Amino acid sequence: MNTSTNTQTNAQKPKILVARAIFPEALAQLEESFEVRSNQADQILTPEELKKELAGVVGALVTGSERIDAQALAQAKDLKIVANISVGYNNFDVPAITTAGVMATNTPDVLTDTTADFGFALLMATARRITESEHWIRAGKWDKWSIVNNPLGMDLHGSTLGIIGMGRIGQGVAKRALGFGMKVIYHNRSRLAEADENACGASYVPKDELLRTADHVVLVLPYSAQSHHTIGEKELALMKPTATLINIARGGIVDDLALAKALREKTIFAAGLDVFEGEPSVNPELLKLSNVVLAPHIASATEKTRRAMVDLAIDNLRAALGGKKPPSLINAEVFKAE
C-alpha cells in the first residue's frame, strides 16, 4: 500500500484510501487534495488488512472485493464515506455502515448502457454458440461446411426474451431486444409503470410463467439474501430444453452447481455467465462444459465506462468530505447538511 509522499503538504491534507487500482490520472487528481493510501498493485486486501487501512482515513474508494461491515469499520473512527466503484453494493453491510454514521455510495446510471450492450452480446454468443464454434475451429474439427454437422444454435429474432430484474439495465436489455423483433416479458419485485413498460415493449408475468415461456432468460436483479439462488434446480427444471440462461447480475443469484448439472444433462440448451458464486473462482463443473459462455465479470468493462464509474465515485467522495450530499447516496439518513 503506497501513500502520497509530499510530506510538507500532506500534513494539511485529509487522508483517504483507494483500495484497488484506478486510472493514474484519477489518482493524481486525488493526490492534489488528499493524502492517499493507494493500492495500485491491485492486490485484494484481506479483512484484517482492510480494517487496518480504514483506520485514520476520512474517505475510501472501494470495489466489490472489499467487504465493508462492522468488523471492517471497527477502527475507522474518522471515516465519513465509503464510495463503491460499482452500481451493486452487496459488499456493503448497509445497516452496519449506517450505524457507524458513515455515508455509503455507488455508481448507478453511468454503466447502464454498457452493461446492457454486454448482456445482449453475451446472449447472442450463447444462443448462437459463438465461443463453442471458435474452440471447434481451433481444435481442427471444421473440415467442411455442413447443413447439420456444424454447431447449430437458437434464434433470437421472433423468440421470447424473459428478463428477471427490470431496473435500468433490465430495461436497457429489453429495448435492445425490440430491434430483433423479440417478445419481451419480465418479472420484477414490483411492476413497472405502464409508460415504462410501453417504452421497452415488455409485459409483466409471474416468475414461473416467465421461466416456462421464455426462449432466453436474462438475470439483471440485485443480489440480496432474498435473491440468493433465485435460479436453482427447481427453476431450471421449469425452463425449455431449448432455452438459454444469461447472468449479468451477481454471483449467488444462480446456484452454479445446479446450473452445471442442468447444462450437462441438457435440461436447458446453454448458459452465458459474467458473474459467479465465489468469483474469481469458478465452479470446476462449469469449466468442463462446452455449452456455457464464460466471461470474467466484464459487463461494464469499457474504458469510457470504467473511467465514468471512477469519476462518479470520486464525485461522491469529494461531496461527502466537502459537506455536501453525494450524488448517489445509498443511506440518506446519515447525511447531515453543514
Side-chain angles (χ1 to χ4, degrees), residues 154 211-216 235-245 262-263 265-271 291:
M154 297 295 166
L211 292 170
R212 285 192 297 265
T213 306
D215 298 300
H216 309 283
E235 290 75 20
L236 291 161
L238 293 175
M239 295 174 64
K240 298 177 181 181
T242 54
T244 67
L245 177 71
L263 291 167
E265 297 178 358
K266 309 298 184 183
T267 302
I268 65 172
F269 179 71
N291 57 339

Side-chain angles (χ1 to χ4, degrees), residues 130-201:
I130 291 175
T131 58
E132 185 180 356
S133 295
E134 181 185 356
H135 294 155
W136 196 67
I137 289 175
R138 290 180 184 276
K141 295 180 180 180
W142 188 33
D143 58 353
K144 61 181 178 297
W145 184 90
S146 173
I147 292 174
V148 295
N149 292 320
N150 291 158
L152 302 179
M154 297 295 166
D155 281 324
L156 271 67
H157 69 273
S159 66
T160 297
L161 175 66
I163 300 173
I164 301 180
M166 202 61 159
R168 300 176 183 90
I169 297 169
Q171 292 176 51
V173 172
K175 290 173 182 175
R176 284 154 178 77
L178 296 179
F180 281 74
M182 301 175 80
K183 176 183 177 182
V184 180
I185 57 178
Y186 77 96
H187 181 75
N188 201 47
R189 186 169 48 188
S190 56
R191 185 168 180 172
L192 297 180
E194 183 178 358
D196 291 329
E197 286 188 343
N198 292 339
C200 52

Side-chain angles (χ1 to χ4, degrees), residues 115-131 156 216 218-219 244-249 270-276 292-299:
T115 304
D117 282 351
F118 184 83
F120 213 83
L122 189 57
L123 169 59
M124 294 182 70
T126 302
R128 295 302 303 273
R129 300 172 69 178
I130 291 175
T131 58
L156 271 67
H216 309 283
V218 178
L219 305 174
T244 67
L245 177 71
I246 307 299
N247 188 6
I248 56 169
L273 308 174
D274 187 47
V275 290
F276 307 88
V292 57
V293 180
L294 307 172
H297 203 145
I298 57 170

Side-chain angles (χ1 to χ4, degrees), residues 36-338:
V36 182
R37 296 180 182 175
S38 64
N39 181 15
Q40 288 299 92
D42 212 33
Q43 299 296 320
I44 295 177
L45 301 174
T46 68
E48 279 303 313
E49 287 172 337
L50 178 62
K51 179 180 177 181
K52 179 181 177 182
E53 294 296 341
L54 287 172
V57 301
V58 294
L61 294 182
V62 300
T63 70
S65 60
E66 289 75 56
R67 174 68 178 167
I68 307 297
D69 54 16
Q71 177 186 349
L73 298 172
Q75 297 175 10
K77 305 306 180 184
D78 300 322
L79 191 65
K80 295 182 179 179
I81 179 173
V82 282
N84 221 25
I85 310 174
S86 170
V87 64
Y89 50 90
N90 52 295
N91 57 313
F92 282 1
D93 182 339
V94 177
I97 296 171
T98 302
T99 297
V102 175
M103 286 177 272
T105 64
N106 64 338
T107 58
D109 299 320
V110 294
L111 49 71
T112 297
D113 284 326
T114 298
T115 304
D117 282 351
F118 184 83
F120 213 83
L122 189 57
L123 169 59
M124 294 182 70
T126 302
R128 295 302 303 273
R129 300 172 69 178
I130 291 175
T131 58
E132 185 180 356
S133 295
E134 181 185 356
H135 294 155
W136 196 67
I137 289 175
R138 290 180 184 276
K141 295 180 180 180
W142 188 33
D143 58 353
K144 61 181 178 297
W145 184 90
S146 173
I147 292 174
V148 295
N149 292 320
N150 291 158
L152 302 179
M154 297 295 166
D155 281 324
L156 271 67
H157 69 273
S159 66
T160 297
L161 175 66
I163 300 173
I164 301 180
M166 202 61 159
R168 300 176 183 90
I169 297 169
Q171 292 176 51
V173 172
K175 290 173 182 175
R176 284 154 178 77
L178 296 179
F180 281 74
M182 301 175 80
K183 176 183 177 182
V184 180
I185 57 178
Y186 77 96
H187 181 75
N188 201 47
R189 186 169 48 188
S190 56
R191 185 168 180 172
L192 297 180
E194 183 178 358
D196 291 329
E197 286 188 343
N198 292 339
C200 52
S203 302
Y204 178 86
V205 296
K207 186 177 82 169
D208 285 2
E209 181 180 340
L210 182 149
L211 292 170
R212 285 192 297 265
T213 306
D215 298 300
H216 309 283
V217 176
V218 178
L219 305 174
V220 207
L221 64 164
Y223 181 82
S224 67
Q226 292 71 37
S227 64
H228 182 73
H229 286 185
T230 291
I231 302 296
E233 186 174 4
K234 173 187 172 184
E235 290 75 20
L236 291 161
L238 293 175
M239 295 174 64
K240 298 177 181 181
T242 54
T244 67
L245 177 71
I246 307 299
N247 188 6
I248 56 169
R250 280 291 186 270
I253 299 289
V254 176
D255 180 339
D256 284 355
L257 187 59
L259 175 60
K261 180 173 182 287
L263 291 167
R264 185 171 57 249
E265 297 178 358
K266 309 298 184 183
T267 302
I268 65 172
F269 179 71
L273 308 174
D274 187 47
V275 290
F276 307 88
E277 292 188 276
E279 62 182 56
S281 297
V282 177
N283 190 297
E285 294 302 310
L286 289 171
L287 298 175
K288 298 175 183 177
L289 300 167
S290 62
N291 57 339
V292 57
V293 180
L294 307 172
H297 203 145
I298 57 170
S300 66
T302 68
E303 182 171 343
K304 179 180 178 181
T305 293
R306 288 285 172 86
R307 285 185 181 276
M309 291 165 66
V310 171
D311 288 346
L312 179 52
I314 290 173
D315 288 346
N316 282 319
L317 181 138
R318 287 187 184 279
L321 298 182
K324 298 177 181 178
K325 186 176 182 179
S328 46
L329 183 61
I330 296 165
N331 53 349
E333 61 271 34
V334 173
F335 176 72
K336 297 179 178 62
E338 295 182 358

